[in-house]
Amino acid sequence: MNNPTSILARAGVVADSTIRIRRNKHYPMEAWYCIGLFLFFIGVFQWTSILRSKLARRRSIRGGDPEVTAGPHPRKFAFSRIAVGLTNAYRVIAFRWTLEFGESYTLNMAEVFVTIAYIVFLYVWAFTNTTDLEGDKLAWTYWWNRAGTLASSQFPLITALGTKNNLVSLITGISYDKLNYIHRMVTRVVFVLLWVHGASEIVHKFKFKKEFTETWLLCGIVALVALSILCIISLRPVRAGAYEFFFYAHFALVTIFLACAYIHVQENEYGYWIYPCFAIWGLDRLLRVVGLIVSNHSYFGFRSGATMDATAELLSENFVRLRLHRPHFHWTAGQTAYLIMPSISRLPFEAHPFTIASSDSDLFSSIEQDKPSKDTSNQRSLAMHELGSSAPFRKELIFFINVRGGFTARLKEAALARRKIMVFVDGPYGPSPDLGSYDTSVLIAGGSGVSYTLPTLLDIIEKVREGKSNCRRVVFIWAIRDANHIHWIDDTVVRALHLAPPSLSVSIRIHVTGVPVTTESLPRSEDHSEETGDDSNLDIVEKDNAKAMEKTKDLLHAMEAVKIENGRPNLHATLREEVECATGKMSVSVCGSQGIARSVRYALRFPVSSPLNVVRGGPSVTLHVESFGYA
């Protein structure tokens, strides 16, 4: 006869198991409902903000907003601006207050909040309702497998956040590059949760002296090891110091992890959390391949008569300019493109992102249509002169590339050899700053960060000329180490200033932190001849230097709007001055090192950008940070 006590014990075990399995299936779904609701609210907020900005710009252009169309007015307290002041305070707290780790790692408060909220959210779901039927709290049998299923349920989100074309960006209006931090953060939180699951599994096997022979278990261990290695090499010091190694290893480890994870979870029929990852990744790759064929059609047998290969030029010891034509490629100011160079890369389809420094517009062609000015000879030279070595023109893609090591070092060698390079362009990606609704725009760049701010400047001028922008003042600040970097953009700046309408005040401020503009500071031709072994390059370089010097003189003496100074820019003083003089809406866009981004954030905190100042009639300031490097 069976013992009643043992029967009840077995019944309790079965009941516990039924409850655990049901919760393991339902809790991940409930977690996804919460994630979906959060993304929906973020999307509503983002797209509503974008729509309001566009509508406000249209009304003000039509003369419906006297505060925008009128000039500066005395500042006084206005209750109607309290909401604007609170919005400005939110921007300061969320995006300009930061936690800093060393000299190169910064988290703003919005990122800190999302990180803490996600950790709490996921671990509450993992450890809630873990009291078994016998009354034991935090019963390990309840959270052991639940931790694994919750972690598995986040893999589609992680995959989507890591792709260039993803649904999260479409819903929220946040570009993939801004979501990259969330991609890494979610991965690391899930990594810890997987170790909670995996360590419990291993302890359980040792406790009951079971062998590690099951295929599903071995695959789980391999997947966990692969993810552990991936999390280690994804740390900033490794990524920054050996990016190409990280690039290759990331692809291999993710493939191993997902394949083994699928075999592992399929044992309990949870594979439906894994195979969507392959579908998401495959769809992104399909879209990118289609884009590659369209943008680089001549390489795929669709002849258009255009030369597709790129020209690489060494601008200085550490900078290369890449120029190429893509007749059917369209982009907007501030966007990036991934460049694939089979002859430069170690792998045929290794892609590297760079900001497009040229403008896809008809701005410069409008010079020919302008009414003759007093200086008709200068007018003709601007219209008829070929766009010089630094001036972007329609359908020419230009990239300023900072030479570091690996891929960029090999690109530098190709530039020195003056050979043509086969380049596949993938893109464009990233947001384009819509600055049409801002009365004042401040553009700040360091070094190759001018790739972002220069086309933005051209876009502002073009929109004002076409009556599509409210902008009345634009300030362009560029910090460079070598005075000769001015030659990268001098032709473009001259033309841009010539085209700027009288209603737009343009101020160009170039700060040289190293050697000032002198004949001696120009690049020596011997440096190039040593690399190429061709003494005939001497005369060519000397002629280029002479032309560059003439352009600099034109820029210095002919344009009153341009100021060239030695030393680092005092961003705090400059931004405070602009905030004090501005009204309406003000945008500050910065692209450069972490140091420049930090300086701008400091400058735009309280009290410079305080809600009280906004309520009294001061500008509502929006900050756009495009900080290059390995985020």
Side-chain angles (χ1 to χ4, degrees):
M1 183 175 181
N2 292 331
N3 189 334
T5 304
S6 64
I7 294 175
L8 290 175
R10 287 196 298 271
V13 171
V14 172
D16 266 330
S17 176
T18 302
I19 294 172
R20 291 197 307 267
I21 293 173
R22 184 172 66 250
R23 289 177 180 174
N24 287 348
K25 288 182 177 294
H26 287 293
Y27 280 14
M29 294 299 300
E30 293 174 4
W32 258 105
Y33 295 149
C34 294
I35 293 173
L37 190 62
F38 175 75
L39 294 178
F40 172 77
F41 282 125
I42 293 294
V44 169
F45 177 81
Q46 284 285 111
W47 289 109
T48 300
S49 177
I50 293 172
L51 182 60
R52 287 183 59 188
S53 177
K54 290 183 179 296
L55 291 176
R57 179 180 60 192
R58 291 180 181 178
R59 287 197 300 267
S60 60
I61 289 175
R62 293 172 182 173
D65 190 346
E67 182 185 47
V68 173
T69 56
H73 57 280
R75 296 187 176 182
K76 56 182 180 180
F77 186 90
F79 286 100
S80 61
R81 293 183 60 81
I82 290 179
V84 180
L86 293 176
T87 302
N88 198 75
Y90 160 74
R91 291 175 183 151
V92 172
I93 295 172
F95 303 108
R96 299 172 209 169
W97 285 7
T98 58
L99 289 180
E100 297 173 356
F101 306 90
E103 297 182 355
S104 61
Y105 199 83
T106 301
L107 290 179
N108 60 46
M109 290 298 106
E111 293 170 333
V112 171
F113 169 77
V114 171
T115 300
I116 295 175
Y118 185 76
I119 293 173
V120 172
F121 160 79
L122 207 59
Y123 280 82
V124 164
W125 282 109
F127 293 100
T128 191
N129 291 334
T130 53
T131 301
D132 63 16
L133 296 180
E134 295 182 358
D136 294 333
K137 296 182 179 181
L138 284 177
W140 73 278
T141 55
Y142 271 72
W143 53 258
W144 164 25
N145 279 328
R146 190 192 304 174
T149 55
L150 273 171
S152 300
S153 71
Q154 302 304 293
F155 295 158
L157 176 63
I158 293 172
T159 305
L161 291 171
T163 57
K164 308 298 180 296
N165 308 281
N166 64 79
L167 190 60
V168 178
S169 291
L170 182 63
I171 294 173
T172 63
I174 303 174
S175 65
Y176 82 94
D177 54 319
K178 299 294 183 184
L179 293 173
N180 197 256
Y181 165 77
I182 307 298
H183 167 72
R184 295 192 306 274
M185 181 273 291
V186 172
T187 302
R188 289 161 184 170
V189 173
V190 167
F191 163 72
V192 176
L193 202 61
L194 282 177
W195 264 109
V196 170
H197 166 72
S200 301
E201 182 78 55
I202 294 172
V203 170
H204 173 75
K205 289 291 184 182
F206 276 116
K207 181 178 180 180
F208 293 96
K209 298 181 180 179
K210 295 183 178 180
E211 296 182 357
F212 294 83
T213 56
E214 299 95 330
T215 301
W216 65 271
L217 180 58
L218 293 175
C219 285
I221 294 174
V222 172
L224 190 56
V225 171
L227 184 62
S228 301
I229 297 173
L230 180 59
C231 287
I232 293 173
I233 67 173
S234 68
L235 295 175
R236 178 184 293 270
V238 180
R239 290 201 320 276
Y243 180 77
E244 290 186 7
F245 166 74
F246 166 76
F247 181 88
Y248 308 139
H250 180 276
F251 178 81
L253 291 170
V254 167
T255 303
I256 294 171
F257 170 75
L258 288 177
C260 292
Y262 179 80
I263 297 173
H264 178 77
V265 300
Q266 192 61 20
E267 176 71 15
N268 293 315
E269 300 181 351
Y270 289 119
Y272 54 81
W273 290 120
I274 305 299
Y275 61 72
C277 300
F278 295 102
I280 293 170
W281 183 86
L283 178 61
D284 175 64
R285 289 292 163 177
L286 176 62
L287 293 174
R288 294 182 68 178
V289 168
V290 171
L292 272 174
I293 295 174
V294 173
S295 300
N296 309 274
H297 55 274
S298 289
Y299 286 140
F300 294 92
F302 302 98
R303 298 295 177 186
S304 63
T307 301
M308 305 291 279
D309 290 344
T311 300
E313 307 166 75
L314 188 63
L315 298 176
S316 67
E317 184 65 24
N318 296 316
F319 285 96
V320 170
R321 176 172 56 219
L322 195 72
R323 306 173 60 157
L324 58 145
H325 296 274
R326 288 297 181 273
H328 301 288
F329 189 87
H330 296 278
W331 72 96
T332 54
Q335 289 193 296
T336 62
Y338 278 75
L339 303 182
I340 301 171
M341 307 181 199
S343 62
I344 304 296
S345 306
R346 296 191 186 281
L347 291 180
F349 289 99
E350 177 185 322
H352 294 262
F354 299 100
T355 303
I356 304 172
S358 51
S359 177
D360 181 17
S361 73
D362 293 314
L363 178 62
F364 291 127
S365 64
S366 63
I367 298 177
E368 299 178 359
Q369 303 171 6
D370 287 350
K371 294 181 180 180
S373 63
K374 294 181 180 179
D375 187 2
T376 56
S377 62
N378 184 50
Q379 181 94 351
R380 190 178 300 109
S381 66
L382 286 171
M384 303 302 294
H385 186 279
E386 64 173 354
L387 295 177
S389 60
S390 63
F393 58 96
R394 184 167 174 79
K395 294 309 172 190
E396 182 181 39
L397 290 167
I398 295 181
F399 301 90
F400 294 135
I401 299 174
N402 191 1
V403 177
R404 296 176 181 271
F407 171 81
T408 54
R410 294 190 294 273
L411 182 60
K412 175 183 176 181
E413 295 174 0
L416 288 170
R418 298 177 179 266
R419 71 171 187 263
K420 291 287 186 177
I421 304 171
M422 176 183 286
V423 178
F424 293 88
V425 180
D426 176 22
Y429 295 107
S432 179
D434 184 8
L435 305 181
S437 62
Y438 294 93
D439 303 274
T440 303
S441 290
V442 180
L443 309 174
I444 304 171
S448 60
V450 75
S451 299
Y452 178 84
T453 56
L454 180 61
T456 304
L457 171 66
L458 300 179
D459 184 66
I460 291 173
I461 293 175
E462 183 177 28
K463 292 295 191 299
V464 173
R465 285 173 59 90
E466 295 175 351
K468 299 179 180 179
S469 174
N470 301 329
C471 191
R472 294 176 297 178
R473 175 168 173 78
V474 58
V475 180
F476 182 92
I477 301 172
W478 188 28
I480 53 179
R481 294 181 180 179
D482 191 333
N484 290 286
H485 294 176
I486 296 172
H487 305 323
W488 301 1
I489 66 169
D490 50 9
D491 283 351
T492 306
V493 169
V494 169
R495 287 166 172 75
L497 291 174
H498 170 77
L499 290 169
S503 61
L504 180 64
S505 171
V506 182
S507 176
I508 309 292
R509 306 176 188 179
I510 300 176
H511 295 262
V512 181
T513 60
V515 181
V517 182
T518 61
T519 305
E520 289 76 12
S521 67
L522 291 169
R524 296 295 180 183
S525 58
E526 291 81 5
D527 295 338
H528 297 282
S529 60
E530 286 177 4
E531 297 286 346
T532 61
D534 186 1
D535 294 334
S536 63
N537 289 331
L538 182 61
D539 294 336
I540 297 175
V541 174
E542 287 180 349
K543 290 179 181 178
D544 290 342
N545 288 345
K547 291 180 180 179
M549 195 48 139
E550 288 300 322
K551 292 175 185 176
T552 302
K553 291 178 180 178
D554 292 340
L555 190 65
L556 289 170
H557 297 116
M559 297 297 171
E560 296 180 356
V562 179
K563 293 182 180 179
I564 301 180
E565 301 177 1
N566 291 319
R568 298 180 181 275
N570 188 339
L571 295 176
H572 190 276
T574 300
L575 291 173
R576 182 177 65 247
E577 177 184 347
E578 294 298 329
V579 169
E580 291 175 352
C581 297
T583 58
K585 297 176 65 177
M586 177 177 175
S587 167
V588 178
S589 302
V590 56
C591 183
S593 64
Q594 287 288 342
I596 291 179
R598 286 182 178 183
S599 298
V600 174
R601 286 194 179 101
Y602 289 151
L604 293 178
R605 293 177 183 174
F606 305 137
V608 172
S609 185
S610 67
L612 184 59
N613 181 45
V614 176
V615 172
R616 288 177 175 173
S620 174
V621 182
T622 302
L623 174 62
H624 308 271
V625 177
E626 297 292 329
S627 187
F628 56 68
Y630 301 98

